[in-house]
Amino acid sequence: MATEKLINLAKTIRSKNAGTDKITFDIIFREKENYELVKKSGVLTPETICKLYGISQERIVDFVEFDPAYAIKFTIYRQRPSGSPGESDVFGCQQYAPLLDLEIPLE
């Protein structure tokens, strides 16, 4: 089965702080076709997020497919508050990398 990496289908993949205790992720598509392809593939789900980030389902605050913006957004609880000792990404902006290589079936 032919696949394409998420990074090649999405316009923007990013993460950022959502308060001190959460990190939010945005996956935004330029074209409706790519958005629908990813959405209908069933690859990007809360279960996938748990596997990619090695977290439990309880750490996922929300997971939204937002059709008007061709965007998929999810938010997770941090293990430690932003800026606390042992926390390595104060702004939460370096957490998106595992999403880039996610393989999406093209059928």
Side-chain angles (χ1 to χ4, degrees):
M1 176 185 300
T3 61
E4 185 67 68
K5 291 184 179 187
L6 184 60
I7 189 173
N8 295 328
L9 297 171
K11 171 185 165 194
T12 301
I13 301 173
R14 65 185 175 202
S15 61
K16 58 189 174 187
N17 276 344
T20 57
D21 298 325
K22 300 175 192 165
I23 297 175
T24 194
F25 297 77
D26 300 315
I27 303 157
I28 303 168
F29 299 86
R30 188 178 321 268
E31 304 88 6
K32 180 179 180 178
E33 294 76 22
N34 285 348
Y35 168 69
E36 292 292 337
L37 175 73
V38 172
K39 197 170 88 167
K40 290 179 181 173
S41 74
V43 171
L44 191 53
T45 64
E47 292 77 21
T48 304
I49 301 308
C50 290
K51 288 179 188 171
L52 276 176
Y53 288 92
I55 63 174
S56 65
Q57 190 103 19
E58 292 78 33
R59 284 192 50 203
I60 298 178
V61 178
D62 61 21
F63 184 94
V64 177
E65 296 170 336
F66 190 59
D67 293 345
Y70 307 148
I72 298 171
K73 179 174 182 145
F74 62 93
T75 303
I76 64 173
Y77 286 110
R78 290 175 171 269
Q79 282 193 300
R80 299 181 175 112
S82 176
S84 66
E87 201 286 312
S88 61
D89 186 6
V90 172
F91 300 111
C93 59
Q94 299 175 31
Q95 302 304 309
Y96 63 89
L99 296 166
L100 302 178
D101 290 334
L102 196 61
E103 294 283 345
I104 307 298
L106 294 176
E107 298 176 18

